[in-house]
Amino acid sequence: MIGLADCNNFFVSCERVFRPELAHKPVIVLSNNDGCAVALSNEAKALGFKRGDPFFKIKDRASAAGVTFFSGNHRLYGDMSARVMTTLRALSDDIEVYSIDEAFLNIHSETDDYAGLARYMAAKVRRDTGIPVSIGFAPTRTLAKIASRFAKKYPGYAGGCVIDTPEKTAKALTLTPVGDVWGIGRRLLKRLQIYGINTAMDLASLPQERIESIFNITGVRTWKELNGIPSIVPDNDSEHKTITSSRSFAKEVYTFEELHKAFAVFATIAAKKLREQKEHALEVEAFIATNRFRDNAPLYFNSCSVTLAESSDSTSEILKAALKALKRIFRPGLGYKKAGITISRIAHSPQPHIFSDIAKMEKMSKLMLTVDAINNSQHSSYAVKIASMGNGLEEISRKDHSSRLFTTRLEDIIEVHA
Ligand SMILES: [Mg+2]
């Protein structure tokens, strides 16, 4: 059995954690620059407002109806997401974060009460983070998605729904419009409608030969999943892939400023590697450690992860996240001997979120590629570099093997593990 946890009205729920008086009231969260509605509370939906409604069009009517508006605060949402994921991770053997408000849950030890488990997990996430979540368990990911939809739609499930028998599967599929099935995009939906396929049940009951003749591999997989045959597996390769850039310093480093410079180097190296692999990352971890070989000094090791609002391959975005993490773990007065960053949750394509400024993302990508091209054509990897790097690791690098090109080719001294 696989579980799917999906936060209810996620952005709205994040705002409500800090504005509890807005529970059961209509709330709308707006996109970048307050362009349009991107998240609505059930009460706002009941008033007839929809996702995508332009703000200027609905502003007066919605205000008159008592709707509270929020400009999207995606830093807050990213942080709340990390908290939800932490709780889910503690309650599962393994989770796969699927989006800012969704994760698949793997439970290795079998239980005969998945419904109880799902309700328990939903209640625990709610208590720990304030975020309401709907959890579905089923034999496949696609069915688990459907189960979580039922958990969300019908309060009687108390946040947890299980699809585990042929009867329950048939009932759930009959009640699910085919367009709501995971993986059925708008284009495929149109084709399905031409064939008179309106519910998930219509799709699931077609014979396999027919499915194979009308659909591509994705469609066939979805059909199998609806019939209880697991066919969509996470890309384990990228799931567990990380890039680390770290360094032991020649002497202890005491100030945040020096670490900042070192982190600029780490971010430059890791992000370049990411771009070479044509990949984007969603998580950046920073770690620092004091010298564990010195008996008279305090021993300190700490690490902290930051989730990016949107996946990125940009040096500056990765550095920004790394510094945010570093700020949380940096303790003044200690001499740091080793530090580094690890980037993870790596994916092949950028994963913009609802507030993403796509034009800006593309511009940034082009800029980074230009920087790489210039640096690749020069003897130094840092002909063009991020300003805060300064002279990088020069002062804190070991210089006792002068045959290595410390000052001109930093790759020579940095360990990169992929
Ligand atoms: Mg959701």
Side-chain angles (χ1 to χ4, degrees):
M1 297 282 271
I2 181 117
L4 187 271
D6 183 7
C7 300
N8 304 352
N9 314 87
F10 182 58
F11 300 151
V12 169
S13 298
C14 290
E15 299 292 352
R16 278 175 169 165
V17 169
F18 302 95
R19 296 277 304 275
E21 78 278 12
L22 294 177
H24 312 297
K25 302 254 167 64
V27 176
I28 294 180
V29 175
L30 301 167
S31 65
N32 259 345
N33 308 318
D34 296 347
C36 62
V38 287
L40 299 89
S41 71
N42 294 340
E43 298 76 14
K45 287 178 191 163
L47 289 169
F49 299 107
K50 285 193 294 290
R51 204 168 145 159
D53 282 349
F55 180 46
F56 74 91
K57 270 197 187 162
I58 59 170
K59 191 175 169 184
D60 294 339
R61 194 162 59 85
S63 302
V67 172
T68 303
F69 287 102
F70 286 95
S71 302
N73 179 354
H74 54 257
R75 286 232 175 122
L76 170 70
Y77 309 151
D79 198 53
M80 294 304 288
S81 168
R83 293 176 195 207
V84 168
M85 299 309 169
T86 300
T87 300
L88 291 173
R89 205 169 270 132
L91 298 172
S92 317
D93 292 308
D94 182 16
I95 73 167
E96 303 150 25
V97 177
Y98 180 68
S99 70
I100 192 162
D101 73 333
E102 274 175 77
F104 287 106
L105 316 168
N106 294 301
I107 310 291
H108 297 324
S109 45
E110 287 293 312
T111 160
D112 47 18
D113 184 18
Y114 280 100
L117 176 66
R119 285 195 297 268
Y120 172 75
M121 292 174 97
K124 177 91 169 118
V125 170
R126 181 74 191 249
R127 202 176 61 209
D128 285 7
T129 68
I131 300 291
V133 62
S134 301
I135 298 180
F137 275 101
T140 69
R141 288 177 166 73
T142 306
L143 288 172
K145 278 252 190 191
I146 292 177
S148 83
R149 276 174 43 94
F150 276 84
K152 179 169 302 178
K153 206 165 172 192
Y154 303 104
Y157 286 114
C161 170
V162 178
I163 297 178
D164 57 353
T165 63
E167 297 73 36
K168 284 188 203 168
T169 310
K171 193 180 162 201
L173 295 186
T174 308
L175 290 170
T176 303
V178 73
D180 288 345
V181 173
W182 186 41
I184 305 282
R186 222 182 306 166
R187 224 192 289 161
L188 187 52
L189 177 61
K190 267 194 193 146
R191 277 178 63 197
L192 290 170
Q193 284 165 339
I194 292 168
Y195 291 106
I197 298 163
N198 296 310
T199 68
M201 191 61 186
D202 294 340
L203 179 61
S205 28
L206 287 180
Q208 184 160 359
E209 311 85 69
R210 181 130 170 81
I211 289 289
E212 280 167 355
S213 69
I214 25 184
F215 301 119
N216 61 11
I217 181 79
T218 323
V220 176
R221 271 196 208 131
T222 300
W223 176 86
K224 282 189 182 164
E225 287 251 319
L226 290 176
N227 283 292
I229 307 158
S231 307
I232 298 173
V233 281
D235 183 357
N236 271 324
D237 234 26
S238 60
E239 189 68 30
H240 300 291
K241 197 154 57 181
T242 59
I243 297 174
T244 296
S245 174
S246 66
R247 167 94 188 121
S248 287
F249 306 128
K251 55 176 188 184
E252 268 105 8
V253 168
Y254 287 88
T255 67
F256 189 87
E257 289 64 39
E258 276 180 297
L259 283 173
H260 183 161
K261 279 190 207 167
F263 271 61
V265 176
F266 302 148
T268 301
I269 290 165
K272 182 162 183 264
K273 179 110 193 164
L274 203 53
R275 293 193 292 275
E276 281 165 1
Q277 297 173 357
K278 299 193 174 19
E279 288 170 330
H280 292 71
L282 205 52
E283 196 163 88
V284 180
E285 184 190 63
F287 62 89
I288 45 178
T290 55
N291 192 347
R292 64 195 161 96
F293 299 112
R294 268 182 61 170
D295 297 334
N296 53 351
L299 203 60
Y300 177 74
F301 173 88
N302 208 347
S303 67
C304 173
S305 295
V306 166
T307 304
L308 302 176
E310 59 203 6
S311 67
S312 179
D313 64 355
S314 132
T315 302
S316 61
E317 289 303 316
I318 284 165
L319 176 58
K320 226 192 279 172
L323 290 175
K324 189 175 166 190
L326 175 62
K327 261 185 206 140
R328 291 189 190 152
I329 53 176
F330 178 77
R331 304 280 177 275
L334 298 175
Y336 297 100
K337 186 75 168 117
K338 186 166 184 174
I341 70 169
T342 297
I343 53 186
S344 58
R345 286 170 66 188
I346 292 170
H348 274 293
S349 51
Q351 297 181 315
H353 64 84
I354 203 122
F355 297 108
S356 299
D357 183 339
I358 305 283
K360 194 175 139 204
M361 280 173 82
E362 281 171 0
K363 232 194 226 160
M364 177 57 91
S365 255
K366 267 191 202 146
L367 172 69
M368 293 313 311
L369 289 175
T370 310
V371 168
D372 290 343
I374 295 171
N375 286 339
N376 286 338
S377 69
Q378 308 283 327
H379 289 300
S380 164
S381 292
Y382 301 98
V384 179
K385 65 184 180 184
I386 198 153
S388 60
M389 189 195 292
N391 46 10
L393 297 172
E394 209 167 298
E395 283 144 31
I396 46 178
S397 294
R398 202 173 287 283
K399 289 188 183 175
D400 46 7
H401 300 286
S402 53
S403 60
R404 289 161 78 185
L405 298 170
F406 291 127
T407 55
T408 52
R409 286 198 60 86
L410 279 157
E411 283 95 322
D412 287 356
I413 52 164
I414 307 280
E415 314 158 29
V416 175
H417 312 280

